[in-house]
PDB file of all heavy atoms in Angstrom:
ATOM      1  N   PRO E  73     -22.291  17.557  11.146  1.00 87.00           N
ATOM      2  CA  PRO E  73     -21.444  17.648   9.938  1.00 87.00           C
ATOM      3  C   PRO E  73     -20.598  16.397   9.696  1.00 87.00           C
ATOM      4  O   PRO E  73     -20.478  15.943   8.568  1.00 87.00           O
ATOM      5  CB  PRO E  73     -20.567  18.876  10.214  1.00 87.00           C
ATOM      6  CG  PRO E  73     -21.359  19.699  11.170  1.00 87.00           C
ATOM      7  CD  PRO E  73     -22.052  18.709  12.046  1.00 87.00           C
ATOM      8  N   LEU E  74     -20.012  15.817  10.780  1.00 86.00           N
ATOM      9  CA  LEU E  74     -19.186  14.622  10.622  1.00 86.00           C
ATOM     10  C   LEU E  74     -20.043  13.429  10.215  1.00 86.00           C
ATOM     11  O   LEU E  74     -19.649  12.627   9.358  1.00 86.00           O
ATOM     12  CB  LEU E  74     -18.429  14.328  11.913  1.00 86.00           C
ATOM     13  CG  LEU E  74     -17.512  13.105  11.891  1.00 86.00           C
ATOM     14  CD1 LEU E  74     -16.503  13.195  10.748  1.00 86.00           C
ATOM     15  CD2 LEU E  74     -16.796  12.947  13.220  1.00 86.00           C
ATOM     16  N   ASN E  75     -21.234  13.290  10.817  1.00 85.00           N
ATOM     17  CA  ASN E  75     -22.127  12.194  10.441  1.00 85.00           C
ATOM     18  C   ASN E  75     -22.580  12.339   8.992  1.00 85.00           C
ATOM     19  O   ASN E  75     -22.673  11.349   8.261  1.00 85.00           O
ATOM     20  CB  ASN E  75     -23.352  12.174  11.367  1.00 85.00           C
ATOM     21  CG  ASN E  75     -23.082  11.464  12.680  1.00 85.00           C
ATOM     22  OD1 ASN E  75     -23.299  10.268  12.827  1.00 85.00           O
ATOM     23  ND2 ASN E  75     -22.580  12.220  13.643  1.00 85.00           N
ATOM     24  N   TRP E  76     -22.845  13.579   8.594  1.00 85.00           N
ATOM     25  CA  TRP E  76     -23.263  13.820   7.212  1.00 85.00           C
ATOM     26  C   TRP E  76     -22.124  13.489   6.247  1.00 85.00           C
ATOM     27  O   TRP E  76     -22.336  12.867   5.208  1.00 85.00           O
ATOM     28  CB  TRP E  76     -23.677  15.287   7.053  1.00 85.00           C
ATOM     29  CG  TRP E  76     -24.272  15.590   5.707  1.00 85.00           C
ATOM     30  CD1 TRP E  76     -25.581  15.539   5.349  1.00 85.00           C
ATOM     31  CD2 TRP E  76     -23.548  15.986   4.540  1.00 85.00           C
ATOM     32  NE1 TRP E  76     -25.738  15.866   4.026  1.00 85.00           N
ATOM     33  CE2 TRP E  76     -24.507  16.148   3.497  1.00 85.00           C
ATOM     34  CE3 TRP E  76     -22.220  16.213   4.252  1.00 85.00           C
ATOM     35  CZ2 TRP E  76     -24.146  16.531   2.209  1.00 85.00           C
ATOM     36  CZ3 TRP E  76     -21.858  16.586   2.967  1.00 85.00           C
ATOM     37  CH2 TRP E  76     -22.814  16.746   1.962  1.00 85.00           C
ATOM     38  N   LEU E  77     -20.889  13.889   6.615  1.00 85.00           N
ATOM     39  CA  LEU E  77     -19.737  13.600   5.770  1.00 85.00           C
ATOM     40  C   LEU E  77     -19.521  12.095   5.645  1.00 85.00           C
ATOM     41  O   LEU E  77     -19.223  11.579   4.560  1.00 85.00           O
ATOM     42  CB  LEU E  77     -18.482  14.264   6.344  1.00 85.00           C
ATOM     43  CG  LEU E  77     -17.176  14.011   5.592  1.00 85.00           C
ATOM     44  CD1 LEU E  77     -17.230  14.626   4.203  1.00 85.00           C
ATOM     45  CD2 LEU E  77     -15.985  14.556   6.363  1.00 85.00           C
ATOM     46  N   LYS E  78     -19.687  11.375   6.760  1.00 82.00           N
ATOM     47  CA  LYS E  78     -19.521   9.925   6.753  1.00 82.00           C
ATOM     48  C   LYS E  78     -20.512   9.262   5.779  1.00 82.00           C
ATOM     49  O   LYS E  78     -20.162   8.306   5.078  1.00 82.00           O
ATOM     50  CB  LYS E  78     -19.719   9.387   8.162  1.00 82.00           C
ATOM     51  CG  LYS E  78     -19.509   7.893   8.294  1.00 82.00           C
ATOM     52  CD  LYS E  78     -19.775   7.435   9.713  1.00 82.00           C
ATOM     53  CE  LYS E  78     -21.245   7.601  10.071  1.00 82.00           C
ATOM     54  NZ  LYS E  78     -21.592   6.998  11.362  1.00 82.00           N
ATOM     55  N   ASP E  79     -21.738   9.781   5.732  1.00 82.00           N
ATOM     56  CA  ASP E  79     -22.778   9.197   4.870  1.00 82.00           C
ATOM     57  C   ASP E  79     -22.674   9.662   3.417  1.00 82.00           C
ATOM     58  O   ASP E  79     -23.181   8.989   2.517  1.00 82.00           O
ATOM     59  CB  ASP E  79     -24.166   9.546   5.412  1.00 82.00           C
ATOM     60  CG  ASP E  79     -24.414   8.931   6.778  1.00 82.00           C
ATOM     61  OD1 ASP E  79     -23.804   7.883   7.068  1.00 82.00           O
ATOM     62  OD2 ASP E  79     -25.193   9.506   7.566  1.00 82.00           O
ATOM     63  N   HIS E  80     -22.070  10.833   3.183  1.00 79.00           N
ATOM     64  CA  HIS E  80     -22.021  11.400   1.833  1.00 79.00           C
ATOM     65  C   HIS E  80     -20.585  11.697   1.409  1.00 79.00           C
ATOM     66  O   HIS E  80     -20.302  12.725   0.805  1.00 79.00           O
ATOM     67  CB  HIS E  80     -22.837  12.706   1.771  1.00 79.00           C
ATOM     68  CG  HIS E  80     -24.276  12.525   2.124  1.00 79.00           C
ATOM     69  ND1 HIS E  80     -24.721  12.489   3.431  1.00 79.00           N
ATOM     70  CD2 HIS E  80     -25.376  12.379   1.342  1.00 79.00           C
ATOM     71  CE1 HIS E  80     -26.041  12.335   3.445  1.00 79.00           C
ATOM     72  NE2 HIS E  80     -26.459  12.261   2.196  1.00 79.00           N
ATOM     73  N   TYR E  81     -19.660  10.785   1.791  1.00 78.00           N
ATOM     74  CA  TYR E  81     -18.246  11.038   1.487  1.00 78.00           C
ATOM     75  C   TYR E  81     -18.064  11.239  -0.010  1.00 78.00           C
ATOM     76  O   TYR E  81     -18.527  10.411  -0.815  1.00 78.00           O
ATOM     77  CB  TYR E  81     -17.381   9.878   1.968  1.00 78.00           C
ATOM     78  CG  TYR E  81     -15.951  10.274   2.240  1.00 78.00           C
ATOM     79  CD1 TYR E  81     -15.629  11.016   3.367  1.00 78.00           C
ATOM     80  CD2 TYR E  81     -14.929   9.919   1.378  1.00 78.00           C
ATOM     81  CE1 TYR E  81     -14.324  11.378   3.634  1.00 78.00           C
ATOM     82  CE2 TYR E  81     -13.619  10.271   1.636  1.00 78.00           C
ATOM     83  CZ  TYR E  81     -13.325  11.009   2.765  1.00 78.00           C
ATOM     84  OH  TYR E  81     -12.033  11.382   3.024  1.00 78.00           O
ATOM     85  N   PRO E  82     -17.407  12.342  -0.419  1.00 73.00           N
ATOM     86  CA  PRO E  82     -17.268  12.624  -1.864  1.00 73.00           C
ATOM     87  C   PRO E  82     -16.385  11.612  -2.566  1.00 73.00           C
ATOM     88  O   PRO E  82     -15.464  11.046  -1.972  1.00 73.00           O
ATOM     89  CB  PRO E  82     -16.635  14.019  -1.884  1.00 73.00           C
ATOM     90  CG  PRO E  82     -15.884  14.100  -0.599  1.00 73.00           C
ATOM     91  CD  PRO E  82     -16.701  13.338   0.408  1.00 73.00           C
ATOM     92  N   LYS E  83     -16.640  11.396  -3.833  1.00 62.00           N
ATOM     93  CA  LYS E  83     -15.882  10.426  -4.620  1.00 62.00           C
ATOM     94  C   LYS E  83     -14.660  11.034  -5.274  1.00 62.00           C
ATOM     95  O   LYS E  83     -13.781  10.323  -5.723  1.00 62.00           O
ATOM     96  CB  LYS E  83     -16.771   9.820  -5.705  1.00 62.00           C
ATOM     97  CG  LYS E  83     -17.944   9.012  -5.170  1.00 62.00           C
ATOM     98  CD  LYS E  83     -18.760   8.469  -6.320  1.00 62.00           C
ATOM     99  CE  LYS E  83     -19.977   7.699  -5.813  1.00 62.00           C
ATOM    100  NZ  LYS E  83     -20.808   7.201  -6.927  1.00 62.00           N
ATOM    101  N   GLY E  84     -14.595  12.346  -5.358  1.00 53.00           N
ATOM    102  CA  GLY E  84     -13.522  12.966  -6.113  1.00 53.00           C
ATOM    103  C   GLY E  84     -13.598  12.498  -7.551  1.00 53.00           C
ATOM    104  O   GLY E  84     -14.650  12.509  -8.163  1.00 53.00           O
ATOM    105  N   ALA E  85     -12.484  12.023  -8.082  1.00 46.00           N
ATOM    106  CA  ALA E  85     -12.478  11.525  -9.453  1.00 46.00           C
ATOM    107  C   ALA E  85     -12.840  10.042  -9.525  1.00 46.00           C
ATOM    108  O   ALA E  85     -12.970   9.483 -10.600  1.00 46.00           O
ATOM    109  CB  ALA E  85     -11.095  11.736 -10.075  1.00 46.00           C
ATOM    110  N   SER E  86     -12.991   9.395  -8.353  1.00 47.00           N
ATOM    111  CA  SER E  86     -13.239   7.961  -8.330  1.00 47.00           C
ATOM    112  C   SER E  86     -14.713   7.644  -8.537  1.00 47.00           C
ATOM    113  O   SER E  86     -15.586   8.376  -8.082  1.00 47.00           O
ATOM    114  CB  SER E  86     -12.777   7.375  -6.991  1.00 47.00           C
ATOM    115  OG  SER E  86     -13.145   6.030  -6.889  1.00 47.00           O
TER     116      SER E  86
END
Side-chain angles (χ1 to χ4, degrees):
L74 180 55
N75 278 268
W76 187 91
L77 178 65
K78 183 182 67 172
D79 296 333
H80 300 82
Y81 205 74
K83 296 180 182 178
S86 173

